[in-house]
Amino acid sequence: MQEKTVGNHSYTDFILIGFPGFSEYKPYIYIPLFLMFLVAVVGNSVIIFVIKTQTSLHSPMYFLIFAIAIMDLSGPLTFVPNMFLNLVLNLNGISLGGCLVQMFFVHLISSFESTILLVMALDRYVAICNPLRYNDYMNSSTFYKLSVAFLIRNGLLVSLIIILASTLSFCFSNVIEHFYCEHMVLVGLACGETTKNSIMGLLAIFCITGMDLFCICYSYINIFCAVLKSASGKARQKAVHTCGTHLIVILVTYLLALCSYLAYRIRNSMSPDVHILISLLYLLFPCCFNPIIYGVRTKEIREHILKMVKGKKIDPENIKVASITR
């Protein structure tokens, strides 16, 4: 597996070592991670199925919940199968090409998680602050344009990160202390100048996560200002409940993202095992947390799921779709 650096050559195969301080406990570590993965797959599959099959849920807000469920289902599939092979069968090898491909999809899906949260905030902003023009602004044409714009932005920045990483020579070591190919961990194994990689990583964080978070905060500040001015107590309560669900998801996602970022920045004073745990929670926990939150706190989705579990036929006319615009 190892290829020692000779001249201008570098390692082209790597070994993923997750939780190096607990190698003898790997079979036990597998159990909670498998349960989280199972919840993520089942929970998001149920959300996707319910929204797809129930015409009463075919509205912009539920379309966005559907989209985030797709991301939460796809995200773990990019690294969890390899992680389980590592934990159970000790199959921990990966090529440089496989590492870069995995890195691309992990970062791309994570970036779209942030972007979808931004579009959710914009959807609620228009619904509450300009309800009479809601259908004019939040329609299929708008979503198509936003999708193309964000796909170009996220895809371009993530692609640049991967391209710059692919040009490096990895001569220090071929051991990656993680369960998946994390960008800065891989860059840390490179010999030579890596300043451009660090700058590109920070630029991507600023242009994607930073800008999305700024717009989300701006939207919700305006939302709560409009809600506080609302004369109707019922409308105010309904708006707070709907936005509260989104805010819980946003808080968990960005708090874990911040912890993961800080864990890398202070990694010298933190054990590799703690850093790996924080990174795994950042990627895996929202994927199993989000479907539970949306399934429990969103009345219409909850009622459809309960009727589906009880085997009752669902009558769309009996389910009033939650919409702040009405």
Side-chain angles (χ1 to χ4, degrees), residues 172-214:
F172 287 145
S173 173
N174 71 335
V175 176
I176 300 175
E177 291 188 338
H178 218 304
F179 280 118
Y180 70 96
C181 291
E182 190 181 53
H183 174 239
M184 293 311 298
V185 175
L186 181 65
V187 170
L189 302 179
C191 46
E193 183 60 48
T194 60
T195 303
K196 59 184 179 181
N197 300 85
S198 299
I199 292 174
M200 190 65 235
L202 290 173
L203 181 64
I205 291 173
F206 174 78
C207 292
I208 298 177
T209 309
M211 291 183 64
D212 289 353
L213 184 58
F214 174 80

XYZ file of all heavy atoms in Angstrom, residues 172-214:
330
model
N 4.931 13.296 2.903
C 5.143 13.195 4.347
C 4.655 11.852 4.887
O 5.309 11.214 5.695
C 4.452 14.343 5.078
C 5.139 15.661 4.900
C 4.417 16.837 4.830
C 6.513 15.727 4.800
C 5.056 18.061 4.662
C 7.161 16.938 4.640
C 6.435 18.105 4.564
N 3.454 11.443 4.456
C 2.858 10.202 4.937
C 1.687 9.837 4.035
O 1.184 10.689 3.294
C 2.376 10.369 6.380
O 1.658 9.245 6.817
N 1.283 8.598 4.083
C 0.074 8.204 3.357
C -1.009 7.724 4.327
O -1.950 7.038 3.945
C 0.385 7.116 2.327
C 0.707 5.776 2.980
O 1.146 5.716 4.120
N 0.518 4.701 2.241
N -0.868 8.103 5.592
C -1.853 7.751 6.616
C -2.745 8.954 6.897
O -2.275 9.999 7.361
C -1.171 7.283 7.920
C -2.214 7.021 8.995
C -0.334 6.041 7.670
N -4.034 8.818 6.592
C -5.022 9.864 6.844
C -5.758 9.515 8.127
O -6.473 8.507 8.181
C -6.016 9.993 5.671
C -5.280 10.350 4.382
C -7.089 11.037 5.982
C -6.182 10.365 3.150
N -5.576 10.315 9.146
C -6.223 10.047 10.429
C -7.669 10.533 10.392
O -8.043 11.546 10.982
C -5.441 10.709 11.571
C -4.097 10.059 11.828
C -3.410 10.600 13.077
O -3.751 11.731 13.509
O -2.541 9.900 13.615
N -8.472 9.772 9.663
C -9.893 10.084 9.526
C -10.581 8.899 8.856
O -9.922 7.995 8.343
C -10.111 11.349 8.691
C -11.241 12.201 9.196
N -12.516 11.710 9.354
C -11.293 13.501 9.581
C -13.294 12.678 9.817
N -12.581 13.771 9.972
N -11.933 8.930 8.854
C -12.681 7.883 8.178
C -12.958 8.219 6.721
O -13.408 7.369 5.966
C -14.014 7.644 8.902
C -13.869 6.782 10.122
C -14.185 7.283 11.365
C -13.423 5.477 10.022
C -14.059 6.490 12.495
C -13.302 4.674 11.146
C -13.622 5.188 12.389
N -12.764 9.465 6.345
C -12.960 9.868 4.959
C -11.896 10.902 4.600
O -11.145 11.374 5.463
C -14.368 10.451 4.744
C -14.606 11.798 5.381
C -14.458 12.980 4.659
C -14.992 11.898 6.719
C -14.677 14.206 5.244
C -15.214 13.125 7.308
C -15.055 14.275 6.568
O -15.272 15.496 7.149
N -11.810 11.244 3.342
C -10.777 12.169 2.873
C -11.217 13.613 3.123
O -11.933 14.200 2.303
C -10.498 11.941 1.387
S -9.698 10.371 1.035
N -10.802 14.150 4.232
C -11.088 15.544 4.558
C -10.029 16.427 3.893
O -8.845 16.105 3.907
C -11.082 15.743 6.069
C -11.594 17.100 6.503
C -11.559 17.263 8.020
O -10.474 17.042 8.602
O -12.598 17.598 8.619
N -10.462 17.535 3.355
C -9.589 18.375 2.539
C -8.301 18.772 3.248
O -7.200 18.487 2.780
C -10.362 19.630 2.096
C -9.509 20.619 1.369
N -9.329 21.914 1.815
C -8.768 20.510 0.239
C -8.528 22.557 0.994
N -8.166 21.738 0.033
N -8.418 19.446 4.382
C -7.227 19.976 5.028
C -6.370 18.891 5.670
O -5.163 19.067 5.832
C -7.607 21.027 6.075
C -8.209 22.294 5.469
S -7.245 22.978 4.085
C -5.687 23.379 4.875
N -6.962 17.761 6.022
C -6.166 16.640 6.527
C -5.289 16.085 5.411
O -4.100 15.788 5.616
C -7.076 15.540 7.105
C -6.247 14.320 7.509
C -7.847 16.068 8.304
N -5.874 15.965 4.210
C -5.095 15.492 3.065
C -4.014 16.496 2.691
O -2.856 16.110 2.436
C -6.021 15.244 1.870
C -5.346 14.726 0.590
C -4.766 13.326 0.815
C -6.328 14.711 -0.580
N -4.362 17.770 2.666
C -3.385 18.813 2.335
C -2.243 18.816 3.349
O -1.086 19.080 3.007
C -4.073 20.201 2.286
C -3.046 21.318 2.187
C -5.035 20.266 1.107
N -2.538 18.473 4.596
C -1.515 18.430 5.627
C -0.454 17.371 5.378
O 0.629 17.422 5.973
N -0.739 16.409 4.506
C 0.226 15.362 4.171
C 1.118 15.751 3.004
O 2.046 15.010 2.664
C -0.510 14.057 3.829
C -1.442 13.478 4.893
C -2.104 12.215 4.366
C -0.682 13.191 6.176
N 0.846 16.910 2.398
C 1.579 17.317 1.194
C 2.906 17.962 1.557
O 3.058 18.595 2.604
C 0.734 18.296 0.376
N 3.863 17.775 0.665
C 5.130 18.482 0.804
C 5.115 19.648 -0.187
O 4.480 19.584 -1.231
C 6.310 17.545 0.513
S 6.122 16.532 -0.967
N 5.801 20.706 0.136
C 5.773 21.885 -0.721
C 4.779 22.912 -0.214
O 4.219 22.805 0.877
N 4.548 23.912 -1.028
C 3.700 25.052 -0.662
C 2.218 24.679 -0.755
O 1.754 24.176 -1.778
C 3.990 26.226 -1.597
C 3.225 27.492 -1.268
C 3.544 28.002 0.128
O 4.749 28.094 0.471
O 2.595 28.310 0.868
N 1.471 24.918 0.327
C 0.030 24.622 0.344
C -0.799 25.861 0.682
O -1.981 25.739 0.996
C -0.276 23.516 1.371
O 0.137 23.968 2.676
C 0.428 22.220 1.022
N -0.176 27.043 0.600
C -0.892 28.275 0.938
C -2.108 28.480 0.039
O -3.185 28.887 0.503
C 0.048 29.492 0.808
O 1.179 29.305 1.644
C -0.676 30.769 1.216
N -1.967 28.196 -1.246
C -3.081 28.396 -2.189
C -4.262 27.486 -1.848
O -5.425 27.858 -2.027
C -2.611 28.151 -3.620
C -2.056 26.757 -3.877
C -1.516 26.619 -5.289
C -0.935 25.217 -5.514
N -0.371 25.080 -6.886
N -3.957 26.289 -1.318
C -5.032 25.381 -0.918
C -5.781 25.931 0.298
O -7.019 25.859 0.355
C -4.458 24.007 -0.589
C -3.734 23.374 -1.764
O -2.555 23.637 -1.979
N -4.433 22.563 -2.534
N -5.038 26.473 1.258
C -5.664 27.066 2.443
C -6.510 28.268 2.066
O -7.635 28.446 2.569
C -4.588 27.479 3.452
O -3.838 26.364 3.879
N -5.987 29.110 1.172
C -6.724 30.300 0.725
C -8.003 29.894 -0.001
O -9.072 30.470 0.213
C -5.831 31.186 -0.170
C -4.689 31.797 0.655
C -6.661 32.287 -0.826
C -3.684 32.562 -0.174
N -7.888 28.867 -0.872
C -9.063 28.415 -1.621
C -10.110 27.834 -0.681
O -11.318 28.061 -0.860
C -8.632 27.355 -2.641
C -9.718 26.993 -3.642
S -10.162 28.378 -4.707
C -11.925 28.457 -4.437
N -9.673 27.110 0.346
C -10.610 26.571 1.322
C -11.334 27.655 2.088
O -12.552 27.590 2.284
N -10.587 28.674 2.514
C -11.200 29.796 3.222
C -12.144 30.583 2.313
O -13.198 31.056 2.754
C -10.113 30.713 3.781
C -9.282 30.148 4.939
C -8.128 31.092 5.274
C -10.156 29.914 6.169
N -11.757 30.734 1.046
C -12.616 31.443 0.084
C -13.937 30.710 -0.106
O -15.002 31.338 -0.164
C -11.883 31.585 -1.256
C -12.640 32.319 -2.369
C -12.887 33.773 -1.975
C -11.860 32.261 -3.684
N -13.866 29.381 -0.191
C -15.086 28.588 -0.350
C -15.971 28.719 0.881
O -17.203 28.851 0.764
C -14.727 27.126 -0.602
N -15.369 28.692 2.068
C -16.136 28.853 3.305
C -16.824 30.212 3.332
O -18.009 30.332 3.683
C -15.218 28.684 4.536
C -14.758 27.235 4.660
C -15.938 29.127 5.815
C -13.728 27.016 5.749
N -16.106 31.260 2.932
C -16.675 32.606 2.937
C -17.787 32.747 1.897
O -18.866 33.285 2.207
C -15.589 33.641 2.665
C -16.107 35.047 2.508
C -16.457 35.795 3.620
C -16.260 35.605 1.244
C -16.959 37.090 3.473
C -16.757 36.891 1.085
C -17.106 37.633 2.207
N -17.539 32.278 0.675
C -18.484 32.482 -0.432
C -19.721 31.591 -0.332
O -20.783 31.954 -0.851
C -17.795 32.238 -1.775
S -16.542 33.464 -2.184
N -19.594 30.452 0.314
C -20.742 29.546 0.427
C -21.358 29.651 1.818
O -22.435 30.232 1.987
C -20.332 28.087 0.112
C -19.819 27.963 -1.331
C -21.530 27.157 0.308
C -19.317 26.573 -1.703
N -20.667 29.127 2.817
C -21.227 29.113 4.171
C -21.422 30.516 4.727
O -22.479 30.829 5.296
C -20.313 28.302 5.107
O -20.044 27.024 4.530
C -20.965 28.121 6.465
N -20.409 31.374 4.564
C -20.487 32.725 5.113
C -21.601 33.545 4.500
O -22.412 34.159 5.215
N -21.680 33.574 3.162
C -22.719 34.353 2.488
C -24.110 33.786 2.749
O -25.070 34.539 2.942
C -22.427 34.409 0.987
C -21.204 35.230 0.615
S -20.935 35.355 -1.164
C -22.396 36.261 -1.668
N -24.212 32.438 2.748
C -25.512 31.822 3.035
C -25.988 32.183 4.436
O -27.152 32.541 4.639
C -25.416 30.294 2.892
C -25.266 29.842 1.448
O -25.371 30.692 0.553
O -25.044 28.632 1.230
N -25.086 32.094 5.401
C -25.457 32.386 6.785
C -25.841 33.852 6.956
O -26.797 34.170 7.679
C -24.300 32.029 7.719
C -24.564 32.197 9.219
C -25.752 31.353 9.659
C -23.324 31.835 10.028
N -25.127 34.752 6.281
C -25.460 36.179 6.351
C -26.868 36.423 5.813
O -27.673 37.137 6.435
C -24.445 36.996 5.555
C -24.794 38.454 5.451
C -24.544 39.333 6.491
C -25.396 38.951 4.289
C -24.884 40.679 6.400
C -25.743 40.289 4.175
C -25.483 41.155 5.238
